[in-house]
Amino acid sequence: MSKTLKIYLGILLLLFIGIAAIEFSRPIPVNWEKTYNETHKIPYGTFVFYEELNNLFPDSKVQDIKVTPYEYFDDYYSWEDSTYLTSGTYMIIDEYPNIDNTSAQELLDFASYGNDIFMSSNYFPTRLLDSLGFKTQNDFNFEGKAEFSFTNPIFKNDSITIEKGLSNIYFSEIDTLYTTVLGYQKFGDAKYANYIKTSWGDGYFYIHLQPAAFTNYNLLKKSNDKYASSAVSYLKDDTIYFDSRNKSRKTMSNSSLRFIHSQPPLKWAWRLMLLTTVLFMIFNAKRKQRIVSVKTPLKNTTIEFTKTIGNLYYETKDHDNLIEKKITYFLEYIRRVYYLDTQILDDKFVKNLSLKSGKDESDVKKLINQIVHLKAKTTCNEGDLLRLNKAIEDFYTR
């Protein structure tokens, strides 16, 4: 090893020690990120509220949902007698809930069978807004603190004042025929509804617009916990299906470096070590690397081969064979992408494919009926092939 290289390595080592000393001596800053995660003890996590659910609902079981509402509740739906095999209250607390229209429809179905839905959020999927008949509006021009109160005189003393984490989203329109206002928020002289109860089928939706009221920071201040307790007191003492922020698709990485990456000082030390290794390789490998011969990569002729085979079938007018292969490939695509059983192509299959693919159910039904018809047909012509090809291509692209 040359003297110059030793000097470089010594400087880098001193730099590494200095950075590490600075990082370890620095106080850990408060994380003000709004995660609404039930496992986070940071100010805007919901650890305290989640831990208190068993005290708020002593006769209930708290069940975490670590998949989408559609994935969870659809497994409990009995298609034979058109009922749910479970009951309770679905609960979600998040500023921007990740609920698509398919899951929203599942929640509507779940509520219609006599169950409750509690949502404390700022934004909602279009399916819920349209079905429940409410609209929200965000007034960005507000300053200072806000007072939250209830309409029920029983909870007159449970009003609280919050200063941090607020948003001024309020209900600008509700369906007064089916909706009851349960609470208000007051910014200065402006007072708007922020908590409603609306019926849907045999159940109810409880919509709350200030999830910050359920965070660790606000629950632990003064006696603010009384507000959260009163807000959920409207719910039945049944199973609580808590929509976890720790979805199964976001499980902890299996990487052996996950702890290093989770600690800023260790992460920077790791990066510095990698940098020194690269610099060592650059300086030490100078003028020592042998010439690498350039080899032309093999040409990918898959497309040309596919076109040749396709033209061969088309020119020989073997329409039956082509139709059979297109149907086989399409059904294999359905199994691979949407995890559906394609042995029985009935109305249940059509509905499930429509829900999972997001395609219009009538279009899906036409395509499946066409496939069933062609599979039963003894002899197919060119028109059948062209119509099938167009229908399948439309399914892929629309």
Side-chain angles (χ1 to χ4, degrees):
M1 184 182 295
S2 66
K3 184 178 179 180
T4 303
L5 184 58
K6 290 180 180 179
I7 294 174
Y8 286 150
L9 291 178
I11 294 174
L12 289 173
L13 180 60
L14 292 175
L15 181 62
F16 165 74
I17 295 174
I19 293 176
I22 294 173
E23 288 291 337
F24 280 107
S25 63
R26 218 173 38 170
I28 299 176
V30 177
N31 184 358
W32 291 97
E33 181 183 0
K34 294 182 179 181
T35 64
Y36 297 97
N37 192 308
E38 71 276 12
T39 63
H40 291 179
K41 298 181 181 180
I42 60 177
Y44 291 119
T46 55
F47 177 82
V48 174
F49 177 76
Y50 180 77
E51 290 296 310
E52 288 298 316
L53 280 176
N54 288 322
N55 295 327
L56 294 172
F57 300 94
D59 298 327
S60 300
K61 175 185 176 183
V62 179
Q63 177 67 48
D64 289 344
I65 297 182
K66 296 191 176 182
V67 293
T68 65
Y70 169 74
E71 292 174 290
Y72 188 85
F73 290 113
D74 187 63
D75 289 341
Y76 286 97
Y77 184 75
S78 173
W79 293 93
E80 286 74 15
D81 51 8
S82 298
T83 59
Y84 280 93
L85 304 178
T86 187
S87 64
T89 299
Y90 168 83
M91 179 179 292
I92 184 171
I93 300 173
D94 195 357
E95 199 169 42
Y96 302 94
N98 186 20
I99 299 179
D100 57 21
N101 283 328
T102 301
S103 289
Q105 183 59 54
E106 189 69 35
L107 292 178
L108 289 168
D109 295 340
F110 186 63
S112 67
Y113 283 88
N115 302 294
D116 291 338
I117 309 296
F118 178 85
M119 304 180 72
S120 183
S121 308
N122 288 162
Y123 299 94
F124 304 89
T126 306
R127 185 68 59 84
L128 285 185
L129 295 173
D130 294 341
S131 300
L132 301 181
F134 71 88
K135 292 182 180 179
T136 61
Q137 185 170 329
N138 196 340
D139 184 0
F140 296 96
N141 299 320
F142 75 91
E143 296 179 356
K145 55 191 177 182
E147 180 183 346
F148 297 163
S149 60
F150 296 100
T151 57
N152 193 329
I154 297 177
F155 303 135
K156 179 180 180 181
N157 296 325
D158 294 340
S159 300
I160 62 172
T161 300
I162 289 182
E163 297 180 2
K164 289 184 177 293
L166 296 170
S167 62
N168 198 18
I169 291 181
Y170 57 89
F171 291 104
S172 59
E173 182 179 320
I174 60 175
D175 187 348
T176 55
L177 184 62
Y178 300 99
T179 302
T180 302
V181 176
L182 300 180
Y184 289 95
Q185 62 188 28
K186 185 177 181 182
F187 289 89
D189 296 329
K191 185 177 181 180
Y192 300 102
N194 73 337
Y195 188 22
I196 62 172
K197 169 187 176 182
T198 182
S199 61
W200 184 262
D202 294 330
Y204 295 94
F205 274 81
Y206 295 88
I207 309 296
H208 186 268
L209 298 182
Q210 293 289 352
F214 299 93
T215 58
N216 302 327
Y217 178 82
N218 288 308
L219 284 179
L220 296 177
K221 291 196 66 175
K222 300 180 181 178
S223 57
N224 286 0
D225 58 312
K226 63 185 179 181
Y227 178 84
S229 176
S230 299
V232 299
S233 65
Y234 292 95
L235 307 177
K236 292 179 292 189
D237 204 348
D238 199 349
T239 304
I240 302 295
Y241 297 100
F242 192 86
D243 196 323
S244 172
R245 299 300 86 206
N246 303 290
K247 301 297 186 185
S248 57
R249 62 177 64 91
K250 299 178 182 177
T251 54
M252 182 181 291
S253 169
N254 293 323
S255 171
S256 57
L257 299 176
R258 62 180 180 270
F259 179 75
I260 292 178
H261 288 303
S262 67
Q263 305 296 321
L266 293 178
K267 180 172 66 174
W268 280 105
W270 173 254
R271 292 177 178 178
L272 186 59
M273 186 191 72
L274 292 179
L275 176 62
T276 57
T277 303
V278 172
L279 290 175
F280 175 82
M281 294 174 62
I282 292 175
F283 286 104
N284 201 45
K286 191 175 182 181
R287 297 192 182 92
K288 294 182 179 180
Q289 177 65 47
R290 293 190 303 173
I291 298 175
V292 179
S293 59
V294 179
K295 293 185 177 180
T296 305
L298 296 176
K299 185 179 180 182
N300 187 348
T301 59
T302 304
I303 297 178
E304 288 80 3
F305 176 78
T306 304
K307 288 181 178 179
T308 302
I309 296 300
N311 290 333
L312 177 63
Y313 277 113
Y314 188 79
E315 290 174 1
T316 55
K317 306 298 182 181
D318 193 0
H319 302 123
D320 293 332
N321 202 341
L322 269 177
I323 288 176
E324 179 184 357
K325 284 179 168 53
K326 290 196 72 68
I327 292 175
T328 300
Y329 177 81
F330 176 73
L331 295 180
E332 192 280 333
Y333 171 83
I334 296 301
R335 292 191 295 271
R336 174 168 50 83
V337 175
Y338 301 113
Y339 305 101
L340 292 175
D341 187 357
T342 58
Q343 292 184 358
I344 303 176
L345 305 179
D346 56 5
D347 290 339
K348 181 180 177 181
F349 171 82
V350 170
K351 182 176 181 180
N352 287 337
L353 179 56
S354 174
L355 290 173
K356 288 199 172 188
S357 64
K359 313 292 183 182
D360 187 79
E361 186 173 343
S362 61
D363 295 337
V364 174
K365 185 174 182 64
K366 290 179 182 178
L367 173 57
I368 298 304
N369 288 343
Q370 187 176 358
I371 290 175
V372 172
H373 171 70
L374 293 177
K375 289 179 69 175
K377 193 173 181 180
T378 56
T379 303
C380 301
N381 54 40
E382 182 178 351
D384 293 331
L385 173 60
L386 293 176
R387 284 189 293 272
L388 175 64
N389 181 71
K390 184 179 185 305
I392 292 177
E393 290 301 319
D394 288 343
F395 181 90
Y396 287 148
T397 56
R398 288 182 180 177

